[in-house]
Amino acid sequence: MLKTALAGLRAHTLRLLLTSLAITLGVGFIAGTFVLTDTMKAGFGQRVTAEADKVAVAVLPKPGRPGAEPATLPASLLQRLRALPGVTDAQGLTHGQAPLLGKDGKAAGDVPTSGVSVVPGALNRTTIVAGTGPGSDDAAAVLDENTAKAQGFQVGDTITVLDPEGGRHPFKLVGLFDPGVDQKLAYTGAVGFTPATAQRMTGTKGFHEIDLAGADPARLKQAVAAAVGKGAEVRTGTELAALLAAQAGVEIEALSLGLLMFGLVAMMVATLVIYNTFNILVAQRTKELALLRCVGATRGQVFGSILIESAVVGLLSSALGLLTGYGLGVVTMLVLEAFDAPLPTGAGVTLSPATIVIGLVLGLVVTVGAALLPARTATRVAPVAALRTQAEEQTFRTGAPRVLFAGFFLLAGLGTTGVGALVLEPGHQVSLFVVMGGGALTFLGVLILGPVLVRPLSALVGWVPRRLFGVPGRLAVDNAGRNPNRAATTTVALTIGVTLMTLISVVTASTRVTLDAKLDEQFPIDYLLADQTREAVVPRTVGESLRQRPELRQIVQIRGTTATTGSRRVEVGAFEGPFEPEVTAGSLRGLRPGEVAVRASTAEELGWRVGGTVPVKTKRAGTVSLAVVALVGDDSPLPSLTVAPAQFDRYFGALPDSSVLVNVRDGVAPEQARKLVDAAVAAHPTVKVSSSTVVRGEFDEALDMLLMIVTGLLGLAVLISLLGIANTLSLSVHERTRESALLRALGLTRPQLRRTLSVEALVLGLIGALIGAVLGLVFGWAAVRAMIDGARYAVPGGQIALLVAMSGLAGVLAAVLPARRAARASIVGSLATG
């Protein structure tokens, strides 16, 4: 039987080619994900190890409370550590805000640039990629290569950096450095100075880390720990490397998990394609299997021969998938290098033994698992079947158990989905997971009910082709519904892909509409003026000067600071100008001394209500008792507590504004208004000017990019499902050889036969796409409700219609080769061998 199975594989290589391709693509995607992840981890590991080699022991401050200022180590500690026996060198590292000015004179980026110290000697962990380090020159600085490229700076240029008081300081740019594994530096950008200059430019009094060099790290750690006490953490260089690698690896793990989800979807679709293929092959080989039974083969041997075929196909395809995955990893890393992504792209592409084992085992298990039911069916072939001249088609019966099981799963799935979307609190992971569970149950119900749906859907979808294409159209529609089990299994693979793509389209469109609505509520202005840090540093003169401009209709100045109420720290502020935020209770008109408006969420959290009083400890007036006169909606830009402007000054002094809202008069050109606003903040480089149009554009760009990436990843599942349609049609052509020849003999021309098979593929593709579109619309709505509070549902009708149309067209393209093969077959030869 082993020889028979292998001979069958050699004799019918082409019939398993598309199945092998489906496995190859699925395994290749998953293997490529592992290759990419392993490569990035190896790159990070190389960098971290290189840094750790320079440090014997590192001293880090104890983590502070969430939201508190980062803790630092005192300078006196550095001097004590330098005096310890066994310490050959000790350097304190400084890290703080040091805003870099771009060539336009405004602060670079959306967040302040980080200022870091570049220490001299062997403990220097800054990798210079161009030029030199600052050395001992306090007038020199280095810049991370990503910020330099984004801002157009080159070695030799003069850059300007702001100190904590906003003073401008020019530095000669002497080098560029790689931020390495520090994800924060990669996000904010960084300027490197000498240690003394770094402390002066960032305003930090201590160090965020102290590195020590020595011969025996373990013994040195004990001595340092005894000297430091419980006020700081002491780690060896190896332990520091593990910490840095863990921090850098969080994003890699999240990326890997996301990619693996798409890979598993592809493998699930491939499983359905494999199952359908082996199911058809067993049906076609009824006579062959019966003859084997006649010559003495047992049921176990027949069963084993099918599994042997599947195992060989699975192993070979998995091996090809590993090679494909390796190639995907190489291409991805090349793309990352081309786009200068902040990743360790210099490391060689890594294919670990674990990835090889996982790829081979996964492909083998999926293939053999999908072949189990067809193999079991093969054992039921009676020896007498060898005497039949034509294999009988299986008749389909709906059956009460199928309807009962389908109804149970559908009710359970839709009920669970309803709970996640309508009952549980939106915006929490639990509600989204419940919706996902409901979707899985519902899909199982649709899968069980699939064969029942095929005939009515083929009649519905085929109504136009039946009348448009004449006899080929009628034959195609009848063939599509002839074997509901096969058609359902073929289309369900496409249904998965279309469901997910429709769901993503709905979520993206709904998110865009919801964010636009929320922006209209939260950002009902033309321009927002605020500092990079969102702190109260915008001079009041900015808003006052803008209020004098006749081109501007509305100027609102908002200021705030922190205060204590009870044991809680809250933000207290005031606003000046014509502004009417949403009020959920009470009235905000004419705030008087001793009165306060409270954000609704703060009031709910602390149990405050309109009519009550709250004690607030202020900096200048001591503890004051304020009467709650209004609750303000959470979408308002106002702080947690809002008092009258005069009272705010009495409580906290004449603090600067934290933001200024600007509305332009009707008829004023946007370019003219922007020039006025830019001129008002020209002397304040850290004050950024934002507009609702820019914010919307950023959201739209991010959503469009997300949609493009996800669509590309899910496109793999759709491609595999189309291979399944092509595979099914190809095997169906072989199965219906005599039938096609008889139709040709009765007058059906070759073009008409090709048209019949193309229309059949069109109908199958549209059935899968329509079911997927409906499921995607339903669960897209549920996902949006579960993810976003107050979400607005939007249906991108054009995108979904295009997706359905492309699925039908892709089905037609998948039928080109099978249809051509059927049309070129000899009529006489087919009748003789069928």
Side-chain angles (χ1 to χ4, degrees):
M1 288 304 296
L2 177 61
K3 292 181 179 179
T4 303
L6 296 178
L9 282 172
R10 289 193 298 270
H12 305 285
T13 305
L14 290 178
R15 73 184 179 187
L16 295 171
L17 180 61
L18 292 178
T19 301
S20 302
L21 188 56
I23 306 167
T24 299
L25 290 175
V27 172
F29 192 91
I30 292 178
T33 300
F34 281 121
V35 167
L36 183 62
T37 305
D38 291 342
T39 301
M40 290 192 292
K41 284 182 177 178
F44 279 127
Q46 289 174 9
R47 290 190 177 185
V48 169
T49 302
E51 291 182 358
D53 286 343
K54 300 178 181 180
V55 179
V57 173
V59 182
L60 306 171
K62 289 282 188 182
R65 293 176 301 174
E69 289 291 326
T72 58
L73 302 169
S76 59
L77 178 61
L78 176 61
Q79 300 304 322
R80 293 206 317 268
L81 294 177
R82 280 178 174 166
L84 289 177
V87 174
T88 58
D89 190 12
Q91 296 289 342
L93 305 183
T94 301
H95 192 159
Q97 292 183 357
L100 169 73
L101 299 188
K103 291 188 175 181
D104 59 354
K106 302 296 290 184
D110 295 325
V111 293
T113 310
S114 297
V116 298
S117 57
V118 180
V119 301
L123 286 173
N124 179 14
R125 290 158 49 192
T126 303
T127 303
I128 302 296
V129 296
T132 64
S136 59
D137 186 357
D138 290 337
V142 294
L143 190 60
D144 77 279
E145 55 182 343
N146 299 322
T147 302
K149 182 177 181 180
Q151 299 297 324
F153 288 120
Q154 296 179 347
V155 174
D157 291 347
T158 298
I159 61 174
T160 302
V161 185
L162 302 181
D163 62 24
E165 286 73 38
R168 303 187 183 209
H169 299 265
F171 292 90
K172 182 179 180 181
L173 184 60
V174 296
L176 304 180
F177 71 94
D178 184 349
V181 298
D182 194 321
Q183 299 298 293
K184 182 178 180 181
L185 293 187
Y187 172 66
T188 64
V191 188
F193 310 98
T194 61
T197 304
Q199 288 200 324
R200 175 167 54 88
M201 293 304 298
T202 61
T204 56
K205 303 301 182 184
F207 304 109
H208 84 282
E209 179 179 331
I210 296 177
D211 290 345
L212 294 90
D216 190 344
R219 181 175 297 178
L220 188 58
K221 177 183 177 180
Q222 295 178 353
V224 172
V228 169
K230 297 182 179 180
E233 295 180 353
V234 181
R235 299 175 182 268
T236 64
T238 303
E239 292 168 346
L240 176 65
L243 175 65
L244 292 173
Q247 293 173 346
V250 170
E251 295 183 3
I252 301 177
E253 296 294 345
L255 173 66
S256 175
L257 183 61
L259 291 175
L260 279 177
M261 288 179 63
F262 291 104
L264 291 175
V265 169
M267 286 305 297
M268 182 168 61
V269 175
T271 302
L272 294 170
V273 172
I274 297 163
Y275 167 76
N276 206 33
T277 300
F278 278 99
N279 220 19
I280 297 172
L281 288 175
V282 167
Q284 290 178 357
R285 295 166 59 190
T286 299
K287 182 180 291 189
E288 176 187 331
L289 297 173
L291 284 173
L292 289 173
R293 294 292 309 282
C294 285
V295 298
T298 65
R299 289 188 174 186
Q301 288 176 318
V302 171
F303 183 83
S305 69
I306 303 296
L307 294 188
I308 289 171
E309 288 188 16
S310 65
V312 172
V313 172
L315 281 175
L316 293 177
S317 303
S318 300
L320 290 174
L322 286 173
L323 293 176
T324 303
Y326 184 83
L328 287 173
V330 172
V331 171
T332 304
M333 297 305 292
L334 289 175
V335 171
L336 291 175
E337 289 181 354
F339 284 93
D340 292 324
L343 293 171
T345 51
V349 177
T350 303
L351 183 62
S352 67
T355 300
I356 297 174
V357 172
I358 290 173
L360 292 176
V361 170
L362 185 64
L364 180 62
V365 169
V366 165
T367 310
V368 174
L372 283 175
L373 285 178
R376 183 169 177 268
T377 303
T379 62
R380 298 178 178 178
V381 176
V384 72
L387 302 176
R388 298 174 185 150
T389 57
Q390 185 76 10
E392 294 182 0
E393 286 195 359
Q394 297 178 354
T395 57
F396 172 75
R397 296 179 182 177
T398 302
R402 181 186 295 273
V403 176
L404 289 175
F405 275 108
F408 169 77
F409 280 112
L410 287 174
L411 288 176
L414 293 175
T416 304
T417 302
V419 170
L422 302 174
V423 178
L424 297 179
E425 185 177 355
H428 287 249
Q429 287 186 347
V430 174
S431 57
L432 185 58
F433 284 139
V434 170
V435 167
M436 290 171 61
L441 291 173
T442 304
F443 192 82
L444 284 175
V446 173
L447 187 63
I448 296 171
L449 205 60
V452 181
L453 299 175
V454 164
R455 281 177 178 165
L457 285 177
S458 63
L460 175 65
V461 172
W463 188 83
V464 173
R466 181 186 288 272
R467 284 155 181 76
L468 190 63
F469 296 104
V471 173
R474 292 195 293 274
L475 287 171
V477 175
D478 291 340
N479 284 337
R482 178 194 291 180
N483 193 329
N485 271 323
R486 179 195 302 164
T489 310
T490 302
T491 57
V492 76
L494 183 62
T495 299
I496 294 175
V498 174
T499 298
L500 294 174
M501 294 182 76
T502 303
L503 185 149
I504 295 298
S505 299
V506 169
V507 169
T508 304
S510 300
T511 302
R512 184 177 281 115
V513 171
T514 303
L515 289 178
D516 282 344
K518 287 185 178 290
L519 280 173
D520 289 337
E521 297 171 0
Q522 301 175 22
F523 213 143
I525 53 175
D526 294 318
Y527 296 102
L528 168 66
L529 281 60
D531 183 74
Q532 280 182 313
T533 60
R534 298 298 188 264
E535 295 178 356
V537 295
V538 183
R540 294 190 182 187
T541 54
V542 172
E544 293 166 357
S545 65
L546 290 173
R547 194 171 277 115
Q548 308 303 318
R549 303 296 308 191
E551 298 90 344
L552 306 179
R553 174 173 56 87
Q554 181 184 27
I555 306 296
V556 181
Q557 297 171 257
I558 300 176
R559 58 191 64 109
T561 187
T562 57
T564 304
T565 173
S567 60
R568 292 288 303 273
R569 298 286 293 178
V570 294
E571 188 179 9
V572 183
F575 70 92
E576 286 187 80
F579 182 55
E580 296 183 3
E582 177 192 5
V583 176
T584 61
S587 174
L588 192 58
R589 292 182 180 276
L591 274 177
R592 293 177 294 190
E595 295 179 342
V596 64
V598 183
R599 186 184 289 268
S601 59
T602 304
E604 181 181 0
E605 183 181 354
L606 298 178
W608 296 344
R609 292 177 181 165
V610 173
T613 59
V614 297
V616 178
K617 185 178 180 181
T618 67
K619 294 180 180 178
R620 295 196 172 189
T623 300
V624 296
S625 182
L626 303 177
V628 180
V629 296
L631 299 183
V632 180
D634 292 334
D635 292 335
S636 167
L638 296 179
S640 299
L641 305 182
T642 302
V643 298
Q647 298 304 113
F648 181 84
D649 291 349
R650 187 171 74 85
Y651 297 154
F652 303 101
L655 298 179
D657 295 328
S658 55
S659 61
V660 179
L661 315 183
V662 180
N663 270 332
V664 182
R665 290 191 184 278
D666 294 338
V668 177
E671 298 81 6
Q672 181 184 1
R674 182 62 189 250
K675 288 181 180 179
L676 293 175
V677 176
D678 285 340
V681 298
H684 311 285
T686 61
V687 178
K688 310 287 286 186
V689 179
S690 304
S691 69
S692 57
T693 303
V694 172
V695 174
R696 281 184 173 85
E698 291 174 352
F699 275 124
D700 286 341
E701 183 179 350
L703 288 173
D704 288 340
M705 182 176 296
L706 176 65
L707 179 62
M708 180 180 66
I709 293 172
V710 173
T711 300
L713 294 173
L714 290 178
L716 178 67
V718 175
L719 174 61
I720 294 174
S721 62
L722 292 174
L723 289 174
I725 292 178
N727 210 12
T728 301
L729 285 174
S730 179
L731 294 168
S732 181
V733 164
H734 175 75
E735 186 178 70
R736 297 188 307 216
T737 300
R738 172 174 287 191
E739 175 187 319
S740 299
L742 185 59
L743 289 172
R744 290 283 316 284
L746 293 174
L748 198 70
T749 64
R750 286 183 174 178
Q752 286 179 320
L753 182 57
R754 286 197 298 267
R755 198 174 305 139
T756 298
L757 293 172
S758 298
V759 173
E760 183 179 345
L762 171 67
V763 171
L764 290 175
L766 289 178
I767 289 174
L770 286 176
I771 297 175
V774 172
L775 291 175
L777 289 172
V778 173
F779 290 100
W781 166 82
V784 170
R785 287 292 300 260
M787 289 191 300
I788 307 175
D789 189 12
R792 303 194 178 192
Y793 183 59
V795 177
Q799 288 184 14
I800 295 175
L802 180 62
L803 180 60
V804 173
M806 289 181 64
S807 298
L809 177 61
V812 173
L813 294 176
V816 169
L817 290 179
R820 184 183 179 191
R821 177 187 171 192
R824 295 177 64 181
S826 166
I827 298 177
V828 176
S830 298
L831 287 173
T833 59

